[in-house]
Amino acid sequence: MAIITIEYEQYSNINELSPDDAELLRRAYEATTLSFAPYSKFNVGAAAKLKSGDIICNANIENASYPIGICAERNLLAAVNSKGSKRTINTIAISYKNDLMPNQNDIISPCGLCRQSLMEWETMQKQNVRIILGLPTSQVIIIRCAKDLLPLSFSGEFLQ
Ligand code: THU
């Protein structure tokens, strides 16, 4: 029997974070206002702190043809990519606004497609992407790298 474990940091509120991480989480929450989610009404915001120090934000965009919708995380990567040689990401924060959720303090975590995209971004940039998940008004967790969220994953190495 093999066991896979991941370690992550847990904070009961945003004041326990470093000032940089707290700012990034606030920016992710603010980015929920960029979300276009008339169908699910689930507004997700994401913010990336680049190695250059820049912060880039984006959100989910839905479509009446549902599968066309894109998550905040992958929209964020597309926006960061426009930075060209300055696109190295140190940390990403992901937050949300949804008045319909039973527990308004719940943390959301990237979907499977986004985990795969984030993981491959790490491989491309040869540097881990820290991931901050939570709300500015409640608990927060920090994951060391995207790969931790996707054990036993498919990777480009299989294609060579
Ligand atoms: N969504 C994201 O943007 N990121 C996630 O990690 C999970 C889900 C979006 C997709 C869709 O627009 C809405 O949230 C409800 O699934």
Side-chain angles (χ1 to χ4, degrees):
M1 181 70 76
I3 297 174
I4 296 172
T5 53
I6 67 161
E7 282 177 14
Y8 58 90
E9 298 161 39
Q10 216 172 3
Y11 301 95
S12 52
N13 75 67
I14 195 168
N15 300 322
E16 296 172 9
L17 303 185
S18 70
D20 277 4
D21 285 349
E23 188 200 355
L24 198 63
L25 181 56
R26 280 195 202 94
R27 293 287 296 272
Y29 184 74
E30 281 166 24
T32 59
T33 59
L34 304 172
S35 161
F36 176 70
Y39 307 105
S40 71
K41 303 194 170 27
F42 201 97
N43 302 121
V44 183
K49 177 83 177 240
L50 306 187
K51 198 173 168 186
S52 68
D54 284 357
I55 292 179
I56 310 281
C57 301
N58 218 334
N60 56 328
I61 299 179
E62 296 183 349
N63 191 281
S65 176
Y66 291 175
I68 296 176
I70 306 183
C71 293
E73 296 88 333
R74 277 172 295 136
N75 266 342
L76 178 66
L77 293 182
V80 168
N81 199 50
S82 71
K83 288 284 176 184
S85 61
K86 294 197 169 147
R87 66 189 168 182
T88 303
I89 301 173
N90 285 349
T91 308
I92 280 181
I94 301 159
S95 196
Y96 72 95
K97 186 169 184 334
N98 175 248
D99 299 332
L100 307 171
M101 248 163 93
N103 184 353
Q104 292 289 320
N105 293 331
D106 276 351
I107 288 175
I108 64 154
S109 183
C111 77
L113 290 182
C114 291
R115 289 176 194 216
Q116 183 78 27
S117 296
L118 291 166
M119 194 195 71
E120 195 140 335
W121 189 275
E122 278 183 343
T123 309
M124 181 267 282
Q125 71 173 19
K126 300 188 182 72
Q127 187 193 296
N128 287 348
V129 175
R130 292 170 69 243
I131 302 177
I132 303 173
L133 303 175
L135 288 162
T137 49
S138 127
Q139 56 184 322
V140 180
I141 64 173
I142 302 183
I143 294 146
R144 199 163 30 194
C145 61
K147 196 165 193 338
D148 280 357
L149 287 179
L150 201 59
L152 304 179
S153 52
F154 186 79
S155 96
E157 283 169 30
F158 300 133
L159 300 175
Q160 280 144 35

